[in-house]
Amino acid sequence: MKKLLMLAIILTFALSFIGTSMAVPPGKTVEFTKSPMGKVVFSGKIHADAGKKCTDCHPKIFKMKKGADKVTMKDIYAGKFCGTCHDGKIAFNAKTGCMKCHKK
C-alpha cells in the first residue's frame, strides 16, 4: 500500500511539471486569416526551438482563448502582444520583418 501511495505521489508531482516545463507544442500551429496583409501562421515549433514555453506568453501577454485578444499592428508596434518580443532585441523586429509572419 505504501509503494502504491508513493508511486501516486511521484506521478502526480511529475505530471504537475509537464505543463510548465514543456515548450510550446512543436507540432502546433495557429492560423490567423483576417489580416489584409495575408494570413499569419503561429508556429509552436519555431518558438519552442527558440526556447519559449507556453507560460512565457500565456496568460500574461495573450489570453488563453483563441480570438480573445484583438491584436493590431499598432499594438504590436507599441510593444504589446507579439511586439513584446518581436522588437529587434529579443526577436526580429515586427516593423521590418512583415513577410516573416504574413503570407499572401
Side-chain angles (χ1 to χ4, degrees):
M1 187 65 152
K2 284 185 179 184
K3 287 182 182 182
L4 186 58
L5 179 61
M6 184 58 80
L7 179 61
I9 290 170
I10 291 170
L11 187 58
T12 302
F13 182 76
L15 289 174
S16 70
F17 284 99
I18 287 177
T20 59
S21 64
M22 279 182 53
V24 177
K28 183 169 176 73
T29 60
V30 180
E31 290 188 10
F32 303 92
T33 58
K34 298 191 187 221
S35 170
M37 290 289 295
K39 77 176 177 180
V40 173
V41 178
F42 171 85
S43 168
K45 178 173 178 13
I46 290 171
H47 288 83
D49 289 350
K52 300 297 175 189
K53 300 182 293 291
C54 298
T55 55
D56 290 339
C57 298
H58 296 283
K60 52 190 165 182
I61 298 171
F62 294 97
K63 295 176 184 166
M64 293 300 291
K65 185 176 178 183
K66 182 182 175 187
D69 293 301
K70 173 75 171 128
V71 179
T72 66
M73 291 310 300
K74 181 179 178 182
D75 286 335
I76 292 172
Y77 293 162
K80 299 175 185 173
F81 301 116
C82 306
T84 303
C85 293
H86 289 280
D87 59 358
K89 296 173 188 161
I90 298 172
F92 71 86
N93 194 323
K95 293 179 183 177
T96 58
C98 303
M99 301 319 290
K100 288 186 178 188
C101 297
H102 293 274
K103 310 291 182 196
K104 289 208 174 208

